[in-house]
């Protein structure tokens, strides 16, 4: 069932993907990713340059595989989540859920997009925060109802 806990796990998995990508880029930028040509027998602190390079390459490959696995898992979750979002009748509920869980916007960004053009926005951000959270809560309730009806 796509519920609040499932959506939180989805956001965590997206964060895990982001951190894996950061690690991958860090590994690509490491100075020891390639050994000096013809000098693979050089020793650094008791460890040969070739084993340092080999270790870094293995980490890079493992991270690439993790990224591919996470992307596949996220695509599967996104299809499942969006199928439920599409069934929401209220367009604002659908929009808030998509912006939060698919577009990965923060609450203040969502609030600004929906209500930022209103004259009283600056003075009433808490009021508009409450509106966003009410819309989100209603969407979660309606998603649960929709999924319960299907089962």
């Amino acid at each position: 069932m796509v519920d609040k806990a499932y959506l939180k796990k989805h956001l965590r998995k997206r964060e895990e993907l982001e951190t894996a990508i950061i690690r991958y880029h860090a590994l690509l930028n490491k100075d020891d990713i390639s050994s000096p040509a013809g000098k693979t027998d050089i020793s650094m602190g008791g460890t040969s340059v070739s084993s340092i390079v080999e270790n870094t390459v293995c980490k890079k490959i493992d991270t690439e595989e993790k990224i591919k696995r996470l992307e596949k898992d996220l695509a599967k979750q996104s299809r499942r989540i969006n199928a439920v979002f599409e069934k929401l009748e209220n367009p604002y509920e659908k929009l808030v859920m998509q912006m939060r869980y698919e577009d990965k916007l923060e609450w203040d960004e969502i609030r600004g997009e929906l209500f930022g053009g209103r004259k009283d926005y600056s003075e009433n951000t808490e009021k508009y925060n409450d509106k966003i959270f009410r819309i989100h809560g209603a969407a979660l309730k309606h998603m649960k109802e929709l999924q319960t009806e299907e089962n």
Side-chain angles (χ1 to χ4, degrees):
M1 173 176 276
V2 176
D3 57 5
K4 189 174 184 174
Y6 187 88
L7 293 169
K8 279 187 173 186
K9 287 179 185 175
H10 180 70
L11 289 178
R12 276 282 178 226
K13 192 166 289 258
R14 289 181 76 139
E15 290 173 350
E16 188 177 352
L17 174 62
E18 289 172 9
T19 59
I21 291 169
I22 291 168
R23 181 173 188 222
Y24 179 77
H25 287 291
L27 289 168
L28 286 178
N29 292 328
K30 276 189 77 139
D31 289 336
D32 59 8
I33 194 86
S34 60
S35 64
K39 298 184 180 182
T40 56
D41 59 340
I42 294 175
S43 182
M44 290 174 48
T47 307
S48 73
V49 172
S50 62
S51 65
I52 293 171
V53 171
E54 186 176 292
N55 187 30
T56 303
V57 170
C58 287
K59 287 178 187 176
K60 180 183 162 286
I61 291 168
D62 289 345
T63 306
E64 286 173 345
E65 289 171 359
K66 181 178 182 176
I67 289 169
K68 287 176 187 173
R69 179 181 47 78
L70 288 168
E71 287 174 336
K72 184 179 176 183
D73 290 350
L74 280 166
K76 183 179 176 183
Q77 285 180 346
S78 288
R79 285 190 298 275
R80 184 174 180 198
I81 290 168
N82 277 314
V84 176
F85 290 170
E86 286 302 319
K87 293 176 185 171
L88 291 170
E89 291 180 23
N90 183 315
Y92 285 97
E93 290 177 13
K94 185 187 304 186
L95 177 63
V96 166
M97 300 306 277
Q98 289 170 328
M99 292 173 87
R100 179 69 180 155
Y101 298 102
E102 286 303 304
D103 304 335
K104 205 172 171 250
L105 297 179
E106 296 295 328
W107 292 114
D108 60 330
E109 294 172 303
I110 297 169
R111 182 190 68 225
E113 289 295 324
L114 266 64
F115 304 114
R118 298 198 178 180
K119 291 178 183 178
D120 66 340
Y121 178 75
S122 297
E123 302 85 45
N124 294 301
T125 55
E126 285 304 313
K127 175 179 103 174
Y128 290 115
N129 269 345
D130 291 344
K131 279 189 172 200
I132 291 295
F133 295 140
R134 278 195 305 274
I135 293 169
H136 181 264
L140 288 172
K141 179 183 171 209
H142 293 138
M143 286 169 50
K144 185 174 183 177
E145 291 169 357
L146 288 165
Q147 293 174 90
T148 302
E149 289 172 8
E150 288 177 356
N151 295 334

